[in-house]
Amino acid sequence: MLIHRFRLGNYIHTPEEGNHYFPELFALLGEGVIKPTIHKVYGFSAEEVRQAQKDLTGGKSVGKLIIEISKP
């Protein structure tokens, strides 16, 4: 089985290209046209971060795992 991951460097090679494409990307995300798959949002406690690592390495997730850092 072969799994490919998206790497930004494969598509955007210069800062100018980033300046051109990023506003459009973020607009599409904001409009809901692009909807990333989010498996779960974890807190920033040691226990939840450990669980996120277990879920990630154990193949128990589909999509992105997010560690949410609370603002003070």
Side-chain angles (χ1 to χ4, degrees):
M1 177 200 277
L2 181 63
I3 298 175
H4 290 278
R5 294 187 203 178
F6 169 78
R7 292 200 52 178
L8 190 58
N10 292 340
Y11 301 95
I12 296 178
H13 302 284
T14 66
E16 293 77 22
E17 287 178 311
N19 292 337
H20 176 78
Y21 291 113
F22 286 146
E24 183 176 351
L25 171 63
F26 291 123
L28 293 171
L29 285 165
E31 294 166 9
V33 174
I34 297 174
K35 298 176 187 173
T37 302
I38 298 173
H39 171 73
K40 186 174 177 183
V41 178
Y42 300 84
F44 194 55
S45 68
E47 181 180 325
E48 289 193 58
V49 170
R50 273 193 295 274
Q51 186 60 52
Q53 180 67 24
K54 286 179 186 178
D55 291 350
L56 180 65
T57 58
K60 297 180 181 178
S61 63
V62 175
K64 300 300 178 188
L65 283 67
I66 297 175
I67 308 271
E68 185 171 62
I69 300 173
S70 301
K71 295 181 181 177

